[in-house]
Amino acid sequence: MTGRTERGARASDYPALRDLLLSTWPNPNDELGIWDYLVASDPTLEPENVRLVCLGDRPVAATTLVMRQVRTRQGWTSGAELTLVCCHPDHRRKGYGGATVRGALAHLARRGGALAVFYGVPEFYPRFGCVPVLPGFRTELAVAPEPGPAPSTAADRSSPGLGETGLRDATEADLSGISRLHDERISIYPASVARSAAPWMWRVRNPEGHALWTLPDGRGYAHVAFNREGASLDVQEAAAADGLTARRLLAGLTGEARRRGFDKVHLFLAPDNLVARLARLDGAWQRYRPAAAGFVAITRWEPHLPPGYRVVEDARCDLFYRSEPGGPERRVLRAGRGPLTELLMGYLDIDDLLLRQEGTVAAAPSETLPPGTVLTAEGDLDQLRADFPKLLPKYTMAPYYFWF
Ligand SMILES: CC(C)(COP(=O)(O)OP(=O)(O)OC[C@H]1O[C@@H](n2cnc3c(N)ncnc32)[C@H](O)[C@@H]1OP(=O)(O)O)[C@@H](O)C(=O)NCCC(=O)NCCS
C-alpha cells in the first residue's frame, strides 16, 4: 500500500508531473502547453511552488502557483496566479485536488503572498476561501459591412495580413512601448497581474486565432482574437495613449473586423478604458456580467488595507480601524470572508453589501450573526464608504492571456 503525502514538487518530479497533466489535458494546446511553456520560459517558476499530493512518490494531484506582483486597492504586492489544478482521473473525489489547492494557498501565505487570482470552476473553489470578485465587462460595437462582396471563406476571414487600417503586427521592438502602455492603462485595477516587456510574456502562441497589433507610432496596441463562431473580433486588451489615439485604434479595429467579414467588435475592456468609452459614444452596448468564475483568494489581509485598518480573522472577520497611531481602535465591520473580500477588492461597496440584505446596521457589532453576514454601525458607514469605494477588479493574465 502506498502512503499519501502532500508536499512541494522537486525538479525530479517534472516528468511524472507532466504525465499527470497529460492525463487531464491531452491536447498540447490546452493547459499542458501552458506547463511546457512555463517550464521553458518563466524564470520565476520554482518546483516548490507546485503543490502535490503523491501516492508513494507518484504525483496524483497538483496545483501550480505562478508568483507575480498583483494589484490590490493599495498598490502592487506579492501574489500569484493559481493554475493547472488537476487530479488524475483514476483518483478523483478523494479530496486530493482540493488538498493541493489548500496546500498552494497555505504555501503562498507562508511566502508572504497577499492574494491568488485565477479563473476556475465556480462550484469547486469557494470551499477554499476563494471568492468570485472578477466581473466581466463587454462592449459590443456593430460593424457595418464593407460595400461589395464580403469574404466568404474561412481562409479569407483568418487572413493574417493587415489591410489599410493603420494597424500592423507588433514585433519585439515594439514591446517596451506596449508594456509601458499596459502598465499605465491596463494593469491599473485590483487583481491585475504585472507583466514585463520580456518577449516570452507577449508571445502570441496561436496566430491563426490571435494577434497582437500596434499603431505604427506605438501609441496604441490591441490583443485580439478572431471569434469565427460568433463572427466577432474580440479585443481582449487594448490601450491608447490619449483620446485621439484611441480614435485611431478603434477605427483600425473596426476596419480590420469589417475587412475580415466580422459584423461586430467585442471589447473585453474595463468600461473606463478610452477605447471602450469611445465605442460607447459611437453607439456600442455595454454588458456587465457579475463575477462567477473569476476568483481571488486573500492570503494576507494587511496589503489590502488603507492605513489605520487591520483584520482579525476567526470564524468571522473583524475589521478594526484606528484614526491615528496610538489612538483608540474600534471594530467597524464584522463580516464573513466572502463579503470582506468583495469589499477589499472593490467588487462591491458597503452599500451593496447591505443592499444584498445580508447585512445589518446596528449600534454595536454583535457576535450572533450567521457567517457570511455583514454588520456595521451607523456611525461607521461614511468611513467605510470613503475608504472602500467600488473599483473595477480586472485580472490581466500574464502570460496566459495569449494562450487560448
Ligand atoms: C477539479 C479537480 C482538480 C478536482 O479534483 P478532486 O481530487 O476530484 O477534488 P476533491 O476530491 O478535492 O473535490 C471534489 C469535489 O469537487 C467538485 N468538483 C470538481 N470538479 C468540479 C466541476 N468541474 N464542477 C463542479 N464540481 C466539481 C466535486 O463535485 C466534488 O464535490 P463534493 O465533494 O461536494 O462531492 C479534478 O476534477 C480535475 O482534475 N478536473 C479536470 C481539470 C479541471 O477541471 N481543473 C480545474 C480547472 S479550474
Side-chain angles (χ1 to χ4, degrees):
M1 185 66 196
T2 44
R4 164 190 166 163
T5 49
E6 291 177 32
R7 62 174 174 83
R10 302 182 269 267
S12 57
D13 292 313
Y14 278 16
L17 186 54
R18 192 175 187 282
D19 286 346
L20 169 62
L21 295 167
L22 190 66
S23 75
T24 299
W25 294 290
N27 183 344
N29 288 326
D30 293 342
E31 278 81 348
L32 184 68
I34 293 180
W35 171 253
D36 288 341
Y37 192 60
L38 283 178
V39 171
S41 322
D42 186 348
T44 71
L45 184 71
E46 294 171 30
E48 66 160 347
N49 296 336
V50 184
R51 308 308 295 180
L52 302 177
V53 166
C54 297
L55 293 181
D57 220 26
R58 184 132 203 106
V60 293
T63 292
T64 296
L65 290 168
V66 179
M67 299 299 188
R68 289 280 184 274
Q69 290 288 298
V70 184
R71 263 200 191 279
T72 68
R73 68 163 63 236
Q74 294 306 107
W76 291 109
T77 190
S78 305
E81 291 172 305
L82 183 141
T83 187
L84 301 173
V85 179
C86 70
C87 180
H88 193 284
D90 295 345
H91 299 283
R92 289 192 182 150
R93 308 207 62 164
K94 295 177 186 158
Y96 299 161
T100 63
V101 174
R102 268 197 200 90
L105 295 175
H107 179 72
L108 181 61
R110 280 196 301 277
R111 297 267 306 242
L115 73 167
V117 292
F118 60 99
Y119 284 98
V121 181
E123 297 82 5
F124 186 51
Y125 292 97
R127 67 190 78 185
F128 311 116
C130 308
V131 184
V133 293
L134 303 174
F137 301 104
R138 191 166 93 182
T139 304
E140 304 179 357
L141 188 62
V143 174
E146 202 155 13
S152 54
T153 66
D156 287 338
R157 282 191 171 186
S158 64
S159 132
L162 293 175
E164 301 300 310
T165 54
L167 294 170
R168 65 166 171 76
D169 286 311
T171 66
E172 280 197 17
D174 299 311
L175 292 182
S176 63
I178 287 179
S179 172
R180 209 166 33 246
L181 278 173
H182 171 269
D183 294 352
E184 288 167 6
R185 303 275 164 175
I186 300 289
S187 60
I188 53 177
Y189 307 103
S192 295
V193 174
R195 205 183 293 158
S196 77
W200 73 270
M201 282 212 175
W202 293 89
R203 187 174 138 214
V204 177
R205 185 159 176 273
N206 55 344
E208 324 75 53
H210 298 252
L212 181 63
W213 290 337
T214 181
L215 289 168
D217 62 6
R219 293 176 60 75
Y221 80 94
H223 178 261
V224 300
F226 308 119
N227 178 352
R228 288 174 194 117
E229 274 169 29
S232 62
L233 184 75
D234 290 353
V235 180
Q236 292 163 330
E237 198 168 293
D242 55 33
L244 283 177
T245 314
R247 170 57 71 203
R248 282 195 290 140
L249 189 55
L250 188 59
L253 292 167
T254 47
E256 280 306 320
R258 183 179 298 115
R259 201 174 71 78
R260 286 155 201 264
F262 296 131
D263 56 18
K264 47 199 174 290
V265 173
H266 284 168
L267 305 167
F268 294 87
L269 306 173
D272 62 349
N273 180 295
L274 287 178
V275 183
R277 282 173 56 195
L278 258 183
R280 192 169 64 220
L281 293 173
D282 286 354
W285 279 62
Q286 284 190 325
R287 286 172 195 253
Y288 170 85
R289 180 183 284 196
F295 285 98
V296 162
I298 291 184
T299 43
R300 269 181 65 215
W301 296 106
E302 185 271 326
H304 300 268
L305 298 171
Y309 285 92
R310 80 186 167 99
V311 169
V312 175
E313 184 173 9
D314 211 322
R316 216 83 53 73
C317 298
D318 288 312
L319 181 66
F320 290 93
Y321 179 64
R322 184 195 301 278
S323 59
E324 52 199 61
E329 189 182 57
R330 65 178 196 281
R331 182 164 65 186
V332 291
L333 184 72
R334 158 151 276 225
R337 166 174 267 268
L340 187 60
T341 302
E342 291 171 330
L343 184 76
L344 299 193
M345 292 305 296
Y347 175 55
L348 300 181
D349 60 22
I350 186 67
D351 292 300
D352 285 334
L353 293 178
L354 295 169
L355 184 64
R356 207 164 53 185
Q357 294 187 329
E358 61 187 8
T360 311
V361 179
S366 91
E367 311 295 322
T368 53
L369 286 174
T373 53
V374 177
L375 189 88
T376 187
E378 186 69 45
D380 293 324
L381 275 178
D382 285 341
Q383 181 87 41
L384 291 169
R385 284 181 184 126
D387 288 337
F388 299 97
K390 196 156 13 179
L391 303 169
L392 299 167
K394 189 146 175 37
Y395 179 19
T396 55
M397 297 180 223
Y400 309 115
Y401 204 87
F402 302 95
W403 280 77
F404 297 111

